[in-house]
Every structure is written in C-alpha cells, then in structure tokens.
Amino acid sequence: AALDWNQAAWQFWSQWEAAFCSNVVAERVNAEELAVVAYSIARMRSSLGVAAAHGVFWSVWHDAFVERCADASAQNLANVAWAWMRLEVTPLKDHIWRVWLARFDVLLAMSFHEREGVHHHHNHHQQQQHHNVVGATELTMIVHSMSRVFRRYDRRVCSA
C-alpha cells in the first residue's frame, strides 16, 4: 500500500509539536533555537507551516521568545522577522513586538559602540560582542521582512 504523505506529515507534526512544546515549557530551548524553528517552519510551503503559525505551537513559541529574547542575536532577530513575514503573522499589536524591538535597539547600540572602537580586552567577550553586531546582512533581511509585515498590517488597518 502506498504511503499517504499528507497523513504521515500531520502525524509527524503532532508528535514533533508535543515534544517541542514540552521542551520549551521545561526551558530547554534557547532564543537561537526558537529563531531557527520559526525560520524552518516558515520555509515549509505547506498547510503544516500555516497551521504551525496559528496554532498551539505558535502560542507556546510566542511566550518562550518573549521570555528569552534578551539572549537573541542579530541573526536570530532577522530569522524571526523573516518568519513573521513568510507566515503572515502580524506581531505589531503584541508584547512580542515591543520585546523584539527592545532587543534590536540593544544590539544596534552594541554595534555602534563596537564600530566606534569601544572594545573589551577579554577575547571571549569580544567574540560575544561580534556575534551580537547588527551587520549589513541582518539589516537587509530585517528591513525586507519588516517592510512586508508593516505593509500587510497597514492593509488590515485600512480595510477595518
């Protein structure tokens, strides 16, 4: 008998979602992992990706990212912005938007200080600082993604 891929995909998703949510609740998933998961789900061009964006998973993901956003890198923020755009999630009215924007502000300030030559002497700390620099790649991805999120939000507000 042929495998029903649609049924297999939904079975996989329900098992994965349960395991992921229990790991999130147990605080075994960090900001980087949350960003990678959001990005990966957004890459799915299927009904699974849409269901994930608007179901139990997204609610659990949302709460966890708000709690752990302070540890997110510039690349993590770019991945989350891209996921919002791709999944047609509008975070602008949510607490997550304020948390995301606050972390973006912190990373921009750190980037500015690093570019101005404010460096610490400890090697590990310099590597950590460099990891948090908002570079041209992250800025490009963020502005592209957020411009589409804002445009979608404007259409919803204007049509309401």
Side-chain angles (χ1 to χ4, degrees):
L3 179 63
D4 180 348
W5 281 104
N6 193 39
Q7 182 181 357
W10 280 102
Q11 183 179 6
F12 163 79
W13 172 253
S14 65
Q15 292 171 345
W16 183 90
E17 181 181 44
F20 179 81
C21 290
S22 78
N23 276 286
V24 167
V25 169
E27 298 185 8
R28 290 190 295 255
V29 180
N30 63 32
E32 180 178 3
E33 293 161 337
L34 289 166
V36 167
V37 165
Y39 179 84
S40 299
I41 297 229
R43 288 186 54 95
M44 281 194 267
R45 292 180 183 254
S46 70
S47 55
L48 281 177
V50 174
H54 302 286
V56 172
F57 161 80
W58 198 251
S59 177
V60 170
W61 183 95
H62 178 279
D63 293 345
F65 196 77
V66 165
E67 290 174 12
R68 297 167 194 145
C69 188
D71 297 326
S73 70
Q75 183 62 53
N76 300 154
L77 295 183
N79 286 348
V80 168
W82 187 85
W84 284 338
M85 180 266 307
R86 182 70 181 250
L87 293 170
E88 299 187 7
V89 173
T90 305
L92 304 180
K93 290 183 176 180
D94 292 336
H95 179 63
I96 196 168
W97 170 245
R98 290 186 295 278
V99 171
W100 184 97
L101 192 57
R103 180 62 180 160
F104 184 63
D105 287 345
V106 167
L107 292 174
L108 284 177
M110 290 170 68
S111 298
F112 175 76
H113 287 296
E114 184 168 299
R115 286 189 188 100
E116 292 297 309
V118 178
H119 296 288
H120 297 286
H121 298 295
H122 192 268
N123 219 7
H124 174 72
H125 193 71
Q126 283 179 338
Q127 288 173 349
Q128 182 64 29
Q129 270 191 323
H130 182 70
H131 177 69
N132 286 327
V133 169
V134 181
T137 302
E138 291 88 1
L139 286 172
T140 302
M141 188 172 176
I142 288 169
V143 74
H144 169 74
S145 301
M146 293 311 293
S147 68
R148 292 180 66 179
V149 169
F150 291 140
R151 206 168 42 238
R152 188 169 36 255
Y153 178 74
D154 284 344
R155 280 196 300 264
R156 287 181 185 161
V157 170
C158 291
S159 66

